Coordinates of all heavy atoms in Angstrom, one line a residue:
M1 N 9.2 13.5 11.8 CA 9.0 14.1 10.5 C 7.6 14.6 10.4 O 6.6 14.0 10.7 CB 9.4 13.2 9.4 CG 9.3 13.9 8.0 SD 9.7 12.7 6.7 CE 8.2 12.7 5.7
K2 N 7.4 15.9 10.1 CA 6.1 16.5 10.0 C 5.4 16.2 8.7 O 6.1 15.9 7.6 CB 6.2 18.1 10.1 CG 5.1 18.7 10.9 CD 5.2 20.1 11.0 CE 3.9 20.8 10.7 NZ 2.8 20.1 10.3
C3 N 4.1 15.8 8.7 CA 3.3 15.5 7.5 C 3.4 16.8 6.5 O 3.4 17.9 6.9 CB 1.9 15.4 7.8 SG 0.8 15.0 6.5
I4 N 3.6 16.4 5.3 CA 3.8 17.5 4.2 C 2.5 18.0 3.6 O 2.5 18.9 2.8 CB 4.6 16.9 3.0 CG1 3.9 15.7 2.3 CG2 6.0 16.5 3.5 CD1 4.5 15.5 0.9
V5 N 1.4 17.3 4.1 CA 0.0 17.8 3.5 C -0.3 19.2 4.1 O -0.1 19.4 5.4 CB -1.1 16.8 4.0 CG1 -2.5 17.4 3.6 CG2 -0.8 15.5 3.1
Q6 N -0.6 20.1 3.3 CA -0.7 21.5 3.7 C -1.8 21.6 4.8 O -2.9 21.0 4.5 CB -1.1 22.4 2.5 CG -0.6 23.9 2.7 CD -0.8 24.7 1.5 OE1 -1.3 24.2 0.5 NE2 -0.2 25.9 1.5
G7 N -1.6 22.2 5.9 CA -2.5 22.5 6.9 C -2.7 21.3 7.9 O -3.5 21.4 8.8
C8 N -2.0 20.1 7.6 CA -2.1 19.0 8.5 C -1.0 19.1 9.5 O 0.2 19.3 9.3 CB -2.0 17.8 7.7 SG -2.0 16.2 8.7
P9 N -1.5 19.0 10.9 CA -0.6 19.1 12.0 C 0.1 17.8 12.4 O 0.8 17.7 13.3 CB -1.5 19.6 13.1 CG -2.8 19.0 12.8 CD -2.9 18.8 11.3
G10 N -0.1 16.7 11.7 CA 0.3 15.3 12.0 C 1.8 15.2 11.9 O 2.5 15.9 11.2
E11 N 2.3 14.2 12.7 CA 3.7 13.8 12.7 C 3.7 12.4 12.1 O 3.0 11.5 12.6 CB 4.2 13.8 14.0 CG 4.7 15.1 14.6 CD 6.0 15.6 14.1 OE1 6.8 14.7 13.8 OE2 6.2 16.8 14.0
M12 N 4.5 12.2 11.0 CA 4.5 10.9 10.4 C 5.1 9.9 11.4 O 6.0 10.0 12.1 CB 5.5 11.0 9.3 CG 5.2 12.0 8.1 SD 3.6 11.8 7.4 CE 4.0 10.6 6.1
E13 N 4.5 8.6 11.3 CA 4.8 7.5 12.2 C 5.3 6.4 11.3 O 4.7 6.1 10.2 CB 3.6 7.0 13.0 CG 3.2 8.0 14.1 CD 1.9 7.4 14.7 OE1 1.4 6.4 14.3 OE2 1.5 8.1 15.7
Q14 N 6.3 5.7 11.8 CA 6.8 4.5 11.1 C 5.9 3.3 11.4 O 5.5 3.0 12.5 CB 8.2 4.1 11.7 CG 9.0 3.0 10.9 CD 9.4 3.4 9.5 OE1 10.1 4.5 9.3 NE2 9.1 2.7 8.4
R15 N 5.3 2.8 10.4 CA 4.3 1.7 10.5 C 4.5 0.6 9.5 O 5.2 0.8 8.5 CB 2.9 2.2 10.4 CG 2.3 3.1 11.5 CD 0.9 3.2 11.3 NE 0.4 4.4 12.2 CZ -0.8 4.9 12.0 NH1 -1.7 4.4 11.1 NH2 -1.2 5.9 12.7
R16 N 3.9 -0.6 9.8 CA 3.8 -1.6 8.8 C 2.4 -1.6 8.1 O 1.5 -1.7 8.9 CB 4.1 -3.0 9.5 CG 5.5 -3.1 10.1 CD 6.5 -3.5 9.0 NE 7.9 -3.3 9.5 CZ 8.9 -4.0 9.0 NH1 8.7 -4.7 7.9 NH2 10.1 -3.8 9.4
I17 N 2.4 -1.5 6.9 CA 1.0 -1.4 6.2 C 0.8 -2.5 5.3 O 1.7 -3.2 4.9 CB 0.9 0.0 5.5 CG1 1.9 0.0 4.3 CG2 1.1 1.1 6.4 CD1 1.5 1.1 3.3
V18 N -0.4 -2.6 4.9 CA -0.9 -3.6 3.8 C -1.2 -2.8 2.6 O -1.9 -1.8 2.7 CB -2.2 -4.5 4.3 CG1 -2.6 -5.2 3.2 CG2 -1.9 -5.2 5.5
H19 N -0.5 -3.1 1.6 CA -0.7 -2.4 0.2 C -1.3 -3.2 -0.8 O -0.9 -4.3 -0.9 CB 0.6 -1.8 -0.2 CG 0.5 -0.9 -1.5 ND1 0.0 0.3 -1.3 CD2 1.0 -1.2 -2.7 CE1 -0.1 0.8 -2.6 NE2 0.6 -0.1 -3.4
T20 N -2.4 -2.8 -1.4 CA -3.0 -3.5 -2.4 C -2.9 -2.7 -3.8 O -3.0 -1.6 -3.9 CB -4.6 -3.6 -2.1 OG1 -4.7 -4.2 -0.9 CG2 -5.2 -4.5 -3.2
F21 N -2.5 -3.5 -4.8 CA -2.4 -2.9 -6.2 C -2.9 -3.8 -7.1 O -3.1 -5.0 -6.9 CB -1.0 -2.3 -6.5 CG 0.1 -3.4 -6.5 CD1 0.5 -3.8 -7.6 CD2 0.6 -3.9 -5.3 CE1 1.6 -4.8 -7.7 CE2 1.7 -4.8 -5.3 CZ 2.0 -5.2 -6.5
V22 N -3.1 -3.4 -8.4 CA -3.7 -4.3 -9.4 C -2.6 -4.3 -10.5 O -2.1 -3.3 -11.0 CB -4.9 -3.7 -10.0 CG1 -5.4 -4.6 -11.2 CG2 -6.0 -3.6 -8.9
R23 N -2.2 -5.5 -10.9 CA -1.4 -5.8 -11.9 C -2.0 -6.8 -12.9 O -2.5 -7.8 -12.6 CB 0.0 -6.3 -11.4 CG 1.1 -6.3 -12.6 CD 2.3 -6.9 -12.0 NE 3.1 -5.9 -11.1 CZ 4.1 -6.1 -10.5 NH1 4.7 -7.4 -10.5 NH2 4.7 -5.3 -9.8
D24 N -2.1 -6.4 -14.2 CA -2.7 -7.2 -15.2 C -4.1 -7.5 -14.9 O -4.6 -8.6 -15.1 CB -1.9 -8.5 -15.5 CG -0.5 -8.1 -16.1 OD1 -0.3 -7.1 -16.8 OD2 0.4 -8.9 -15.8
G25 N -4.8 -6.5 -14.2 CA -6.2 -6.8 -13.9 C -6.4 -7.7 -12.7 O -7.6 -7.8 -12.2
N26 N -5.4 -8.1 -12.0 CA -5.4 -9.0 -10.8 C -5.0 -8.2 -9.6 O -3.9 -7.7 -9.5 CB -4.6 -10.2 -11.0 CG -5.1 -11.0 -12.1 OD1 -6.2 -11.3 -12.3 ND2 -4.1 -11.4 -13.1
P27 N -5.9 -8.1 -8.5 CA -5.4 -7.5 -7.3 C -4.3 -8.3 -6.6 O -4.4 -9.5 -6.6 CB -6.7 -7.5 -6.4 CG -7.7 -8.4 -7.2 CD -7.1 -8.8 -8.4
I28 N -3.3 -7.6 -6.1 CA -2.2 -8.2 -5.4 C -2.1 -7.4 -4.1 O -2.2 -6.2 -3.9 CB -0.9 -8.0 -6.2 CG1 -1.0 -8.9 -7.5 CG2 0.3 -8.5 -5.5 CD1 0.1 -8.6 -8.5
V29 N -2.0 -8.2 -3.1 CA -1.9 -7.7 -1.6 C -0.4 -8.0 -1.1 O 0.0 -9.1 -1.1 CB -2.9 -8.3 -0.7 CG1 -2.8 -7.8 0.6 CG2 -4.3 -8.3 -1.3
V30 N 0.2 -6.9 -0.7 CA 1.4 -7.0 -0.1 C 1.4 -6.6 1.4 O 1.0 -5.4 1.6 CB 2.6 -6.3 -0.8 CG1 3.9 -6.4 -0.2 CG2 2.6 -6.7 -2.2
E31 N 1.7 -7.4 2.3 CA 1.6 -7.1 3.7 C 3.0 -6.8 4.4 O 4.0 -7.1 3.7 CB 0.8 -8.0 4.6 CG 1.4 -9.4 4.5 CD 0.6 -10.5 5.3 OE1 -0.6 -10.1 5.7 OE2 1.1 -11.5 5.7
D32 N 2.9 -6.1 5.5 CA 4.1 -5.9 6.3 C 5.1 -5.0 5.6 O 6.4 -5.1 5.8 CB 4.8 -7.3 6.5 CG 5.4 -7.3 7.9 OD1 5.0 -6.5 8.8 OD2 6.3 -8.1 8.2
L33 N 4.6 -4.0 4.8 CA 5.5 -3.0 4.2 C 5.8 -1.9 5.1 O 4.9 -1.3 5.7 CB 4.7 -2.4 2.9 CG 4.8 -3.0 1.6 CD1 4.0 -2.2 0.6 CD2 6.2 -3.3 1.2
P34 N 7.1 -1.6 5.3 CA 7.4 -0.4 6.2 C 7.1 0.9 5.4 O 7.3 1.0 4.2 CB 9.0 -0.6 6.2 CG 9.4 -1.5 5.1 CD 8.2 -2.3 4.7
A35 N 6.3 1.7 6.1 CA 5.9 2.9 5.5 C 5.9 4.1 6.6 O 5.7 3.8 7.8 CB 4.6 2.8 4.8
L36 N 5.9 5.4 6.1 CA 5.7 6.5 7.1 C 4.2 6.9 6.8 O 3.7 7.1 5.7 CB 6.6 7.7 6.8 CG 8.0 7.5 7.2 CD1 8.8 8.6 6.6 CD2 8.1 7.6 8.7
V37 N 3.5 6.8 7.9 CA 2.0 7.2 7.8 C 1.7 8.4 8.8 O 2.1 8.5 9.9 CB 1.1 6.0 8.2 CG1 -0.3 6.3 8.1 CG2 1.5 4.8 7.4
C38 N 0.9 9.3 8.2 CA 0.4 10.4 9.0 C -0.9 10.0 9.8 O -1.9 9.5 9.2 CB 0.1 11.6 8.2 SG -0.8 13.0 9.2
P39 N -0.9 9.8 11.1 CA -2.0 9.4 11.9 C -3.2 10.4 11.8 O -4.3 9.9 12.0 CB -1.6 9.3 13.2 CG -0.4 10.3 13.3 CD 0.2 10.3 12.0
V40 N -3.0 11.6 11.3 CA -4.1 12.5 11.3 C -4.9 12.5 9.9 O -6.1 12.3 9.9 CB -3.6 14.0 11.5 CG1 -4.8 15.0 11.3 CG2 -3.0 14.1 12.8
C41 N -4.1 12.5 8.8 CA -4.8 12.5 7.4 C -4.7 11.2 6.7 O -5.3 11.0 5.7 CB -4.4 13.7 6.6 SG -2.7 13.6 6.0
G42 N -3.7 10.4 7.1 CA -3.6 9.1 6.5 C -2.6 9.0 5.4 O -2.4 8.1 4.6
Y43 N -2.0 10.3 5.1 CA -1.0 10.4 4.0 C 0.2 9.3 4.3 O 0.7 9.2 5.4 CB -0.4 11.8 4.0 CG 0.6 12.0 2.9 CD1 0.2 12.1 1.6 CD2 2.0 12.1 3.2 CE1 1.1 12.3 0.5 CE2 2.9 12.3 2.2 CZ 2.5 12.3 0.8 OH 3.4 12.6 -0.1
T44 N 0.5 8.6 3.2 CA 1.4 7.5 3.4 C 2.6 7.7 2.4 O 2.5 8.0 1.3 CB 0.7 6.1 3.1 OG1 -0.4 5.9 3.9 CG2 1.7 5.0 3.2
V45 N 3.8 7.5 3.0 CA 5.0 7.6 2.2 C 5.7 6.3 2.2 O 6.0 5.7 3.3 CB 6.0 8.6 2.6 CG1 7.2 8.8 1.8 CG2 5.2 10.0 2.7
L46 N 6.0 5.6 1.0 CA 6.8 4.4 0.9 C 8.2 4.8 0.6 O 8.5 5.7 -0.2 CB 6.3 3.5 -0.1 CG 5.0 2.8 0.2 CD1 4.5 2.0 -1.0 CD2 5.2 1.9 1.4
D47 N 9.2 4.2 1.3 CA 10.6 4.3 1.0 C 10.9 4.0 -0.4 O 10.3 3.0 -1.1 CB 11.4 3.5 2.0 CG 12.9 3.7 1.9 OD1 13.3 4.6 2.6 OD2 13.6 3.0 1.2
L48 N 11.8 4.7 -1.1 CA 12.2 4.3 -2.6 C 12.6 2.9 -2.7 O 12.3 2.3 -3.6 CB 13.3 5.3 -3.0 CG 12.7 6.5 -3.8 CD1 14.0 7.3 -4.4 CD2 11.8 6.2 -4.9
R49 N 13.4 2.4 -1.8 CA 13.9 1.0 -1.8 C 12.8 0.1 -1.7 O 12.7 -1.1 -2.3 CB 14.9 0.8 -0.6 CG 15.9 -0.4 -0.7 CD 16.9 -0.3 0.3 NE 16.4 0.1 1.7 CZ 15.9 -0.8 2.5 NH1 16.0 -2.1 2.1 NH2 15.4 -0.5 3.6
V50 N 11.7 0.5 -0.8 CA 10.6 -0.5 -0.8 C 9.8 -0.5 -2.0 O 9.2 -1.5 -2.6 CB 9.6 0.1 0.4 CG1 8.3 -0.7 0.5 CG2 10.4 0.0 1.7
L51 N 9.6 0.8 -2.7 CA 8.9 0.9 -3.9 C 9.6 0.0 -4.9 O 9.0 -0.7 -5.8 CB 8.8 2.3 -4.4 CG 7.7 3.1 -3.9 CD1 7.8 4.6 -4.2 CD2 6.4 2.6 -4.3
D52 N 10.9 0.1 -5.1 CA 11.7 -0.6 -6.1 C 11.4 -2.1 -5.9 O 11.3 -2.8 -7.0 CB 13.2 -0.4 -6.0 CG 13.6 1.0 -6.7 OD1 12.8 1.5 -7.4 OD2 14.7 1.4 -6.4
T53 N 11.4 -2.6 -4.7 CA 11.2 -3.9 -4.4 C 9.8 -4.4 -4.8 O 9.6 -5.4 -5.3 CB 11.5 -4.3 -3.0 OG1 12.7 -3.6 -2.5 CG2 11.6 -5.8 -2.7
L54 N 8.9 -3.5 -4.5 CA 7.5 -3.7 -4.9 C 7.4 -3.9 -6.4 O 6.6 -4.7 -6.9 CB 6.6 -2.5 -4.4 CG 5.2 -2.7 -4.1 CD1 4.9 -3.9 -3.2 CD2 4.5 -1.5 -3.6
F55 N 7.9 -3.0 -7.2 CA 7.8 -3.0 -8.6 C 8.5 -4.2 -9.2 O 8.1 -4.7 -10.2 CB 8.4 -1.7 -9.2 CG 7.5 -0.5 -9.0 CD1 8.1 0.7 -8.7 CD2 6.2 -0.6 -9.1 CE1 7.3 1.8 -8.4 CE2 5.3 0.5 -8.9 CZ 6.0 1.7 -8.5
A56 N 9.5 -4.7 -8.5 CA 10.3 -5.9 -9.0 C 9.6 -7.1 -8.7 O 10.0 -8.2 -9.2 CB 11.7 -5.8 -8.4
L57 N 8.6 -7.1 -7.9 CA 7.9 -8.3 -7.4 C 7.2 -9.0 -8.6 O 6.4 -8.3 -9.3 CB 6.9 -8.0 -6.3 CG 6.0 -9.2 -5.8 CD1 6.8 -10.1 -5.0 CD2 4.7 -8.7 -5.2
D58 N 7.5 -10.2 -8.9 CA 6.8 -10.9 -10.0 C 5.8 -11.9 -9.4 O 6.3 -12.9 -8.9 CB 7.9 -11.6 -10.9 CG 7.3 -12.2 -12.2 OD1 5.9 -12.2 -12.2 OD2 8.0 -12.8 -13.0
P59 N 4.5 -11.7 -9.5 CA 3.6 -12.5 -8.9 C 3.5 -13.9 -9.5 O 3.0 -14.8 -9.0 CB 2.2 -11.8 -9.0 CG 2.5 -10.5 -9.7 CD 4.0 -10.5 -10.2
E60 N 4.1 -14.0 -10.8 CA 4.1 -15.2 -11.5 C 5.2 -16.3 -10.9 O 4.9 -17.4 -10.9 CB 4.4 -15.0 -13.0 CG 3.4 -14.1 -13.8 CD 2.0 -14.8 -13.7 OE1 2.0 -16.1 -14.0 OE2 1.0 -14.2 -13.7
T61 N 6.2 -15.7 -10.4 CA 7.3 -16.5 -9.9 C 7.4 -16.5 -8.4 O 8.0 -17.5 -7.8 CB 8.7 -16.1 -10.5 OG1 8.9 -14.8 -10.1 CG2 8.7 -16.2 -11.9
E62 N 6.9 -15.5 -7.8 CA 6.9 -15.5 -6.3 C 5.8 -16.2 -5.8 O 4.8 -16.3 -6.2 CB 6.7 -13.9 -5.9 CG 7.5 -13.4 -4.8 CD 9.0 -13.5 -4.9 OE1 9.6 -13.2 -5.9 OE2 9.5 -14.0 -3.9
T63 N 6.2 -16.9 -4.6 CA 5.1 -17.7 -3.9 C 4.4 -16.9 -2.9 O 5.0 -16.2 -2.1 CB 5.8 -18.9 -3.2 OG1 6.6 -19.6 -4.0 CG2 4.8 -19.8 -2.6
P64 N 3.1 -16.9 -2.9 CA 2.3 -16.0 -2.0 C 2.4 -16.6 -0.6 O 2.5 -17.8 -0.5 CB 0.8 -16.1 -2.5 CG 0.9 -16.7 -3.9 CD 2.2 -17.4 -3.9
V65 N 2.5 -15.8 0.4 CA 2.4 -16.2 1.8 C 1.0 -16.4 2.3 O 0.8 -16.9 3.4 CB 3.2 -15.2 2.7 CG1 4.7 -15.1 2.3 CG2 2.5 -13.8 2.6
G66 N 0.0 -16.0 1.6 CA -1.4 -16.2 2.0 C -2.4 -15.9 0.8 O -1.9 -15.4 -0.2
Q67 N -3.6 -16.1 1.1 CA -4.6 -15.7 0.1 C -5.7 -14.9 0.7 O -6.1 -15.0 1.9 CB -5.3 -17.0 -0.5 CG -4.4 -18.0 -1.1 CD -4.1 -17.6 -2.6 OE1 -4.7 -16.8 -3.2 NE2 -2.8 -18.0 -3.0
A68 N -6.2 -13.9 0.0 CA -7.1 -13.0 0.5 C -8.4 -13.1 -0.4 O -8.3 -13.0 -1.6 CB -6.6 -11.6 0.5
P69 N -9.7 -13.0 0.2 CA -10.8 -13.1 -0.6 C -11.0 -11.6 -1.2 O -10.6 -10.7 -0.6 CB -12.0 -13.3 0.5 CG -11.4 -13.1 1.7 CD -9.9 -13.2 1.7
V70 N -11.5 -11.6 -2.4 CA -11.8 -10.2 -3.0 C -13.3 -10.0 -3.1 O -14.0 -10.9 -3.5 CB -11.1 -10.2 -4.5 CG1 -11.4 -8.9 -5.1 CG2 -9.7 -10.6 -4.4
F71 N -13.7 -8.9 -2.6 CA -15.1 -8.6 -2.6 C -15.4 -7.4 -3.5 O -14.6 -6.5 -3.7 CB -15.6 -8.2 -1.2 CG -15.4 -9.3 -0.3 CD1 -14.3 -9.4 0.7 CD2 -16.4 -10.4 -0.2 CE1 -14.1 -10.4 1.6 CE2 -16.1 -11.5 0.7 CZ -15.1 -11.6 1.5
R72 N -16.7 -7.3 -3.9 CA -17.2 -6.2 -4.6 C -18.5 -5.7 -4.0 O -19.4 -6.4 -3.8 CB -17.4 -6.4 -6.1 CG -17.7 -5.1 -6.9 CD -17.7 -5.5 -8.4 NE -16.4 -5.6 -8.9 CZ -16.2 -6.5 -9.9 NH1 -17.2 -7.1 -10.5 NH2 -14.9 -6.6 -10.3
L73 N -18.5 -4.5 -3.4 CA -19.8 -4.0 -2.7 C -20.9 -3.7 -3.8 O -20.6 -3.2 -4.8 CB -19.5 -2.7 -1.9 CG -18.6 -3.0 -0.7 CD1 -18.3 -1.6 0.0 CD2 -19.1 -4.0 0.2
P74 N -22.2 -4.1 -3.4 CA -23.2 -3.9 -4.3 C -23.6 -2.4 -4.3 O -24.8 -2.1 -4.0 CB -24.3 -4.8 -3.8 CG -24.0 -4.9 -2.3 CD -22.6 -4.8 -2.2
L75 N -22.8 -1.5 -4.6 CA -23.0 -0.1 -4.5 C -23.0 0.5 -6.0 O -22.1 0.1 -6.7 CB -22.1 0.7 -3.8 CG -22.0 0.3 -2.3 CD1 -20.9 1.1 -1.6 CD2 -23.4 0.7 -1.5
S76 N -23.9 1.3 -6.3 CA -23.8 2.1 -7.6 C -23.0 3.3 -7.4 O -23.4 4.2 -6.6 CB -25.2 2.4 -8.1 OG -25.1 3.1 -9.2
L77 N -21.9 3.5 -8.1 CA -21.0 4.7 -7.8 C -21.4 5.7 -8.9 O -20.8 6.7 -8.9 CB -19.6 4.2 -8.0 CG -19.1 3.3 -6.9 CD1 -17.6 2.9 -7.1 CD2 -19.4 3.9 -5.5
T78 N -22.3 5.4 -9.8 CA -22.7 6.5 -10.7 C -24.0 7.1 -10.2 O -25.0 6.4 -9.9 CB -23.0 5.9 -12.2 OG1 -23.8 4.7 -12.0 CG2 -21.7 5.4 -12.8
A79 N -23.9 8.4 -10.0 CA -25.0 9.0 -9.4 C -26.2 9.1 -10.3 O -26.2 9.2 -11.5 CB -24.6 10.5 -9.0
Ligands
ZN1 ZN1 -1.2 14.5 7.7

């Protein structure tokens, strides 16, 4: 499948990715997510079924398979 980003010549590849999102102010990491990724521009597409499962995940009741340290870089992002 060709990448849908305009002007990008990439072919989407099936990969396993790590996805990070924030829920209630807490970062949550989900690994081993099946996704289509463009190796040229990095455009990522998650399957609808994967998205549904992701949204249904309840971090309060689900047992984590691991812990990840959270860092904040000492950079000023305001010019
Ligand atoms: Zn692309």
Side-chain angles (χ1 to χ4, degrees):
M1 183 179 120
K2 223 183 131 349
C3 178
I4 63 159
V5 174
Q6 207 172 9
C8 177
E11 282 282 331
M12 306 296 279
E13 292 176 354
Q14 189 74 50
R15 288 197 199 163
R16 297 278 170 159
I17 64 162
V18 176
H19 183 68
T20 308
F21 61 102
V22 176
R23 190 179 284 172
D24 298 331
N26 298 312
I28 295 167
V29 183
V30 181
E31 59 181 17
D32 220 21
L33 273 182
L36 285 171
V37 181
C38 172
V40 177
C41 71
Y43 182 74
T44 302
V45 180
L46 288 175
D47 189 84
L48 265 186
R49 200 168 45 88
V50 174
L51 273 178
D52 278 349
T53 314
L54 199 57
F55 288 136
L57 175 79
D58 185 355
E60 298 295 321
T61 57
E62 215 56 51
T63 306
V65 294
Q67 296 288 335
V70 179
F71 299 100
R72 186 173 289 150
L73 292 182
L75 298 174
S76 172
L77 295 179
T78 49

